[in-house]
Amino acid sequence: MGSSLVSVPQWSSPQILSERMFQIGSLVVLCGLLAQTTALLEALPVPLDQTLPLALTPALAPKPTDLAGSLTGALSNSLLSEGLLGTLKNLPLLDILKTGGNASSGLPGSLLGKVTSLTPLLNNIIDLKITNPQLLELGLVQSPDGHRLYVTIPLGMILNVNTPLVGSLLKLAVKLNITVELLAVTDEQKHVHLVVGDCTHSPGSLQISLLDGLGPLPIQSFVDNLTGILNNVLPGLVQEKVCPLVNAALSHLDVTLVHAIVNALIHGLEFVIKV
């Protein structure tokens, strides 16, 4: 019985090599596509989620000039908001002068004799009005130990004086500085506050100059006498009215600014640039 032979197809080696190369090539293309897709996904913005940690950018510490400038600017704005200019305009200067400095006028008793001795002169004043009140640029100085601040509050105004003796209106330009001490104080609860220490008029800072009305010797004598009275009365009166406004203005400053200043004063850090 003869055996039957089964025909088995024979693959040539070039065909096998071609098929394997095709498989390898497909794998390379697939890997390339995956790498490109991953790169595109990484480039897309990631939506914010509360579970993802966010990088925090630390706040920059204010520069000394920034801190000092912020304080003077904020304090100036706060004083204006407290009605400083209206307070200056409504100073009861004429009433105090004509009462001769009694207890109700607020004039110190030591000045009583100086004012009453010129009562006839003052009675010749028909009217005295304050116009054009101004708050000029504040000054700031830090104490040598760095724990205190001294704020200079320069004020300006025009005094309009009408008297039958002169027969016309006299205009006097007045400038006066109020100096305020600021310091950090710790209360019983260990809380630190920025408070006003001394508040007074700067000695010798009062300047009075005649704008209009210069005339004969009798008029000049009248102006000289009036200027002498104002030198004795005006600084104390302005101080009495302005210093309470400084306390109120200080309480309305931005909390963050106050904390930064208090921290600098406690540690004696110099932040006011000396000129």
Side-chain angles (χ1 to χ4, degrees):
M1 189 175 174
S3 59
S4 60
L5 298 176
V6 178
S7 176
V8 179
Q10 299 293 324
W11 300 94
S12 62
S13 57
Q15 289 178 318
I16 297 175
L17 180 61
S18 176
E19 181 177 334
R20 289 182 177 177
M21 290 181 65
F22 175 78
Q23 294 175 347
I24 293 173
S26 299
L27 182 61
V28 171
V29 172
L30 179 61
C31 291
L33 291 174
L34 289 175
Q36 184 178 6
T37 303
T38 302
L40 290 175
L41 290 175
E42 290 178 350
L44 292 176
V46 180
L48 295 179
D49 185 79
Q50 293 181 352
T51 60
L52 296 177
L54 298 177
L56 298 178
T57 302
L60 297 176
K63 298 179 181 179
T65 51
D66 293 341
L67 190 57
S70 297
L71 173 60
T72 55
L75 189 56
S76 179
N77 291 334
S78 191
L79 283 170
L80 293 175
S81 299
E82 290 296 323
L84 172 64
L85 300 185
T87 298
L88 294 177
K89 189 174 182 179
N90 296 311
L91 288 174
L93 186 56
L94 181 59
D95 293 338
I96 290 179
L97 294 178
K98 286 197 170 185
T99 55
N102 57 33
S104 62
S105 70
L107 187 66
S110 61
L111 301 179
L112 179 60
K114 296 180 180 179
V115 174
T116 54
S117 64
L118 294 172
T119 299
L121 171 68
L122 299 175
N123 288 335
N124 285 322
I125 298 178
I126 298 176
D127 193 20
L128 190 155
K129 291 183 178 180
I130 298 175
T131 60
N132 195 28
Q134 293 181 324
L135 172 62
L136 306 177
E137 184 177 356
L138 270 60
L140 188 63
V141 176
Q142 194 168 4
S143 64
D145 60 8
H147 297 301
R148 286 177 173 79
L149 294 175
Y150 298 96
V151 183
T152 301
I153 305 176
L155 306 171
M157 66 191 79
I158 303 296
L159 298 185
N160 301 274
V161 184
N162 195 0
T163 73
L165 175 64
V166 175
S168 62
L169 191 68
L170 290 177
K171 290 187 177 181
L172 301 175
V174 177
K175 291 184 179 180
L176 175 67
N177 294 341
I178 297 293
T179 301
V180 180
E181 178 190 37
L182 300 181
L183 59 158
V185 175
T186 305
D187 60 19
E188 296 178 355
Q189 287 75 34
K190 304 302 181 182
H191 297 154
V192 184
H193 306 274
L194 186 65
V195 300
V196 175
D198 292 332
C199 180
T200 182
H201 62 87
S202 304
S205 68
L206 179 62
Q207 299 178 12
I208 301 177
S209 56
L210 181 64
L211 295 180
D212 292 319
L214 184 62
L217 184 59
I219 297 177
Q220 186 60 48
S221 177
F222 172 84
V223 172
D224 292 341
N225 289 330
L226 179 60
T227 300
I229 298 175
L230 293 175
N231 273 307
N232 291 326
V233 176
L234 192 56
L237 178 61
V238 173
Q239 174 183 323
E240 177 188 351
K241 300 297 183 180
V242 172
C243 288
L245 297 181
V246 178
N247 276 295
L250 199 63
S251 65
H252 295 153
L253 294 183
D254 179 74
V255 175
T256 303
L257 174 62
V258 172
H259 284 176
I261 294 172
V262 165
N263 181 69
L265 293 179
I266 289 176
H267 296 90
L269 302 178
E270 183 178 349
F271 65 91
V272 179
I273 304 300
K274 298 179 180 179
V275 294

